[in-house]
Amino acid sequence: MPDLSSEQTSPGASALTSVCVYCGSSNTADPAFLNAAFEIGGDFARAGLKLVYGGGGVGLMGATARGAHAAGGKVLGIIPDFLRGREQPFDDVETVIVTSMHERKMMMFERSDAFVVLPGGIGTLEEIIELLSWRRLDLHAKPIMFHNPRGFWDPLFALLQHTIDEGLTPPSLADCWRSVEKASDITPTLLAWSLETRQTNASDTLRFLT
């Protein structure tokens, strides 16, 4: 479970500074997805956002890190020791070696102010479902953004809506993420959402105090 001690938002909370990316680690992905990942990483860097990612140098994971690094951005990779051979860490950026998937996911969560989900496979699905579950339990309120080229994530959204329609998930869960189709829209939408959230929290706190 996340450590709630650092998750409380106050009127003076700092601006968004780091973004975690969940995405596929396969080099057989659509080249358009790989190019978009590189672009998104570069956009983070140009916006002054530190990239936190799974530490691998392959697939969309590696493309995002290379994009951020090429644009002069800060990058933190976090990878379990047993995956170093398979996911081939990108050695040009700061990389932390951990002992387990659980440790990797917790560190990625704790080091990030927001999350962006790019196209990915079963591992990405596992990560985002856990993140949404923690949101459902009010364990965090960090922004969650999907890059949804060609409607890649539409089947997941349909499944989540199905659980809402069946009364198994509260309708409010659908408000905790946003989805954009264009890679170039990720960073500006995320920054605007973060600012909106901080302003809303500040206004709510002021009303409570007065």
Side-chain angles (χ1 to χ4, degrees):
M1 290 294 187
D3 178 4
L4 300 185
S5 62
S6 61
E7 298 307 313
Q8 305 303 318
T9 304
S10 66
S14 61
L16 187 70
T17 60
S18 59
V19 180
C20 175
V21 167
Y22 294 138
C23 59
S25 58
S26 173
N27 284 326
T28 61
D30 185 333
F33 293 168
L34 295 167
N35 291 336
F38 186 90
E39 177 185 348
I40 290 167
D43 286 345
F44 289 160
R46 286 182 284 273
L49 299 174
K50 182 175 184 176
L51 170 67
V52 180
Y53 83 116
V58 293
L60 278 71
M61 188 189 307
T64 309
R66 285 181 170 82
H69 181 65
K74 295 180 179 179
V75 180
L76 173 63
I78 303 167
I79 189 170
D81 184 65
F82 75 92
L83 280 180
R84 292 170 71 184
R86 179 182 299 180
E87 295 187 349
Q88 303 168 29
F90 180 35
D91 293 331
D92 290 347
V93 301
E94 178 186 2
T95 302
V96 176
I97 309 300
V98 296
T99 59
S100 68
M101 292 294 285
H102 177 74
E103 187 179 3
R104 176 202 225 179
K105 290 190 296 179
M106 284 304 306
M107 187 174 292
M108 290 172 71
F109 178 87
E110 291 167 351
R111 300 289 182 92
S112 305
D113 300 321
F115 301 87
V116 170
V117 186
L118 310 186
I122 190 68
T124 305
L125 282 168
E126 187 265 343
E127 289 167 330
I128 188 57
I129 291 299
E130 182 173 63
L131 188 66
L132 290 172
S133 176
W134 287 356
R135 183 64 179 260
R136 165 70 179 89
L137 296 172
D138 295 324
L139 294 176
H140 76 92
K142 298 179 180 182
I144 302 169
M145 178 82 62
F146 285 86
H147 180 221
N148 193 33
R150 302 200 318 265
F152 182 90
W153 290 112
D154 286 355
L156 174 62
F157 299 152
L159 175 59
L160 293 171
Q161 185 60 50
H162 174 66
T163 69
I164 292 172
D165 294 342
E166 292 292 335
L168 299 170
T169 300
S172 60
L173 185 72
D175 296 329
C176 79
W177 75 79
R178 297 185 183 179
S179 172
V180 298
E181 182 177 359
K182 296 181 180 179
S184 59
D185 288 339
I186 290 286
T187 298
T189 303
L190 189 62
L191 290 172
W193 186 11
S194 176
L195 178 60
E196 173 189 317
T197 299
R198 294 199 309 278
Q199 290 174 337
T200 299
N201 287 336
S203 297
D204 288 346
T205 300
L206 179 62
R207 284 195 294 270
F208 176 77
L209 292 174
T210 58

